Amino acid sequence: MAEIGTAKGPAAEHRIILRYADEPDYTTDIDCYLRHGGYEQLRKALSMEPAAIVAEVKASGLRGRGGAGFPTGTKWGFIDHAKNQKPVYLLCNADESEPGTFKDRQIIYKDPHQLLEGMIISSYANRAHLAYIYIRGEMVRGAQILERALAEARAKNFLGENILGSGYDLDMFVFRGAGAYICGEETGLIESLEGKRAYPRIKPPYFPAVLGLYLCPTIVNNVETLCNVKHIVEMGGAAYAKIGTPNNTGTRIWCVSGDVRRPGYFEYDGGAITMGELLYDVCGGIRDGNRLKAVIPGGSSAKVLRAGETYRIRRKNSQGTMEEVEMKLEDLPLDFDTIAASGSMSGSGGIIVMDHTRDMVECLNNLSAFYAHESCGQCTPCREGALWMHKILDRMAEGEGRPEDPQLLLDLAEQIAGRTICAFGEACSWPVESFVAKFREEFEAKAAKEHERLQPAC
Amino acid sequence: MALIQNPFDHDLPSADTPRVHVQLDGKWEEVPRGLNVIEVARRFGKLIPHYCYHPKLSIAGNCRMCLFEMGTPKLGPERKPILDGEGRPELQWMPRPQIACATTAFEGLGIRTGSPLVESCQKGVMEFLLANHPLDCPICDQAGECKLQEHAFDYGKGRSRFGEEKVRKPKRVDIGPRILLDDERCILCTRCIRFAREIADDDCLGITERGGYNRLSIYPDKRFTSNYSLNTADICPVGALTTKDFRFRMRVWFLKETESICVDCATGCNVTIGSREGFVHRLTPRVNEAVNSHWMCDQGRLGFHPIHSKHRVLEPARRAETGLFPGEWPFVLRQVAESLRKQNPSSLALLVSARLTNEELFLVQRLRDLLRGESEIFTEVVPRKGVADGLLRSDDLNPNSQGARILGIGADGEKLPELRKGIEEGKIRALFCLHEDAVGAGVPEEMLERLSLLVWQGILADKTCEKAHWVLPGASFAEKSGSMVNRAGRVQRLQRAIPTPGRAKEDVWILQGLILALGGEDLGQGGPDVFSKMAAATPAFQGLTWAGLGDQGAPLPA
């Protein structure tokens, strides 16, 4: 990795979360973690008031790393501890299953105690005495690593009763997921944790901060988000907020997969690197000398961006006033706001790259197969629509397209998005909407094949 | 309050709920705060179409048919609502549609039930629901009362763009002794699951598989045996759950609907009798929030079948040497009246059913008064004890024990041993059984042969009927009008749905005939006529009128 960041100028990786993860002698046991300054921030946090930690997190501007980018401090602020009589739960959403995303896995497999420390601090800040790590069922090894880490932390009194003499009690458990993408939707996760089918709950009234796990106030945060809390305690909210750009503070781990020479995960300050720099300089460019065709910037449910597109982005300039600039795909700085302004989202940070050899109908069919399989089937539009869209795309990919198919796909996507219980409706319809809209000619070409086929004689 | 405790009453906010103002399709209306938006619209004659919502079940929010456009008051700089010229808050409309079933009324809520966005949502959901639906309406029992059909007609596109292969799911799944499941028709609204869990307390249904292959299933090795299982067929908006009893029997649009009550126990669940050409095909519960809410038990629902039994007695008859000899009604009534008059009143006993209507019991009372002279006539009802289930079923299986008590006919059958003893000792020489079997009530069969007069009035031939000197074929609950008093003291009406079969007659007509033959007064020709006379003569019914009972009944005057 020596050449990264040296050749054409992108800033070198700024690893905070993954600082030690890939060091050759770094192991997952607690002794190694302690040697690297582990659980020091826990000691510091336990000497602070819970509300002070929440204030630091608010000041840090930390936004959730699971996909929606919701400000973590605001989420924590929803629980009114003065009025609340019920127990508070903290849940770590480690059900990482968005196609193209593999960042949480690195943390869990390589640095589990960092997650634990972040969670213990966050639990303390939210006055939770019971926390769960809901880990994706397929990550069997990850669950074992976490179990061992929990046992080690308990043995050293980082967990359990009267943690480090502070009077604070916390227990934490690993819960292995039920093997469905929808278990990562926070209310689906809660249902699953309660032992039920992971059907997302209707909001209102079931906002987790009010009626979460066992209808008690519940905080659900992503693995990367919780790890960040540790570093916010370490450096202070204001210092953390200086990393990255305003409203996109801290570092983010970008997972690049697809048709690049060196796919992988890379941690950069928010907005510190552009799409082009990441793809061409960091990841070594498109494989086999091919041309870039499209990028999905934030996990498979984000809208696709087409190479050669330009975007009009409104942003604050250095004087603090709003300005509108035109940007090419390659120039988009990687952060929450710019990618949202380009019409997509940075979501979970899973960047999927497609080169010019890719058939967009096949690509979309691949995604839609995933969504048709993963729809929980609770509410009508997504249950029927996701499977319907997949059937159409499957047929088109098989060369059986019909002229009405592209428009039908767009209509169906529109009939799903915004009308479902959870965000899965958007997740399954946005790719369809964007692929068909941006690569309409490819879809029309597949759809127009009908006249070439032999028609029945009658 | 209904006699059954519903876990939810979305349509019945408590009376002291504060009122708020909501804007419904441009008009400001006043409704109780927290009232479900579907119910808000319903109160003003607007239907927000829905499948999964049921006023008595928890909110699932999964069908997405009730999407509506929601407005909230625009807030000014001090976070106070901005008011328009008429003092109403100005509204801002949310870009995303909301589900009406999970939205409750608050001050300044705006509701649009027919905007272009709402219509597009409804069209979209209808198209999705019909995509994998088998569209087998011509052979589906639900056709004619199917919400999918109705809403497709009212809100659908009229045509489908679905050109793929439909999902195949199990059909004719035998999930319980009385109910069948067709998974392809199911729209996964989960009403049945919630009913089984929340009301029947038999949590055996659930969803299996995932996504578009989701299907309703029963827990492995379990059967849906609840005595309330058939309510799921009622609340199933489509033809996925059908009752084995009614399946393939009759197209529902041919059914004549008669509002009546169930006579299977003292609860008196309100029912609709579905009949055609003199034949009852089904009973379905009818909403009455003072009695059964939306529900009824399977036992009561299926209890009507004996009225079409081949053992129905169809002709008035006299016993001759060779067996029963049919006669004409005027002759038979005259002869029976004559035989009764000849009896010494003290040797006469009336064994009366507490399944008779108040009107019939009132006539029995009058008949007794005509015959008694100086001495008492033995009268008693036959008790039927069941097990109360904590839901709707009562431990009293007689539907009108209260009425029998009020009219002084009998109470709990305490005197029944005296009947047997009286016959045994020869004190009782004549017995008139009205819709009761003396053998079943404890009088041995051979003892009945000692009687000099045995008159039997009823519908199904029993042991007493076999010994009776006179047989008077009466009417079943579906063949007569009248009133009964349920266990909570509510007076409710039965309505005649079908004519009596053969030469059987309504019991009021028979009893009136006997009274007239004995020189008594004319008390009217049908249940309603007799009711007014009875109400005038009985303090407990004072002030009640037949019309005043209405379809929902009325409590006994205090």
Side-chain angles (χ1 to χ4, degrees), chain A residues 17 26 38 47 59 79 84 97 111 116 132 220 223 249 260 349 383 417:
Chain A
I17 306 295
Y26 193 77
S47 69
I79 300 179
N84 177 41
S97 34
D111 200 0
L116 260 47
Y132 290 94
V220 187
V223 173
T249 58
V260 289
R383 174 183 70 234

Side-chain angles (χ1 to χ4, degrees), chain B residues 93 145 160 179 230 243 275 298 320 347 405 414 418 432 512:
Chain B
W93 297 90
E145 53 181 9
S160 176
I179 198 146
L230 295 183
T243 72
S275 64
D298 294 0
S347 71
R405 211 166 285 148
E414 290 152 354
E418 288 175 36
F432 187 0
Q512 179 67 67

Side-chain angles (χ1 to χ4, degrees), chain B residues 66 137 159 195 207 271 291 368 391 500:
Chain B
C66 67
C137 308
R159 59 187 272 291
F195 175 84
I207 304 270
V271 299
V291 184
R368 185 179 62 180
L391 297 169
T500 43

Side-chain angles (χ1 to χ4, degrees), chain B residues 178-189:
Chain B
R178 294 172 291 278
I179 198 146
L180 271 181
L181 165 66
D182 184 324
D183 262 317
E184 288 188 345
R185 291 179 188 156
C186 176
I187 58 166
L188 298 158
C189 71

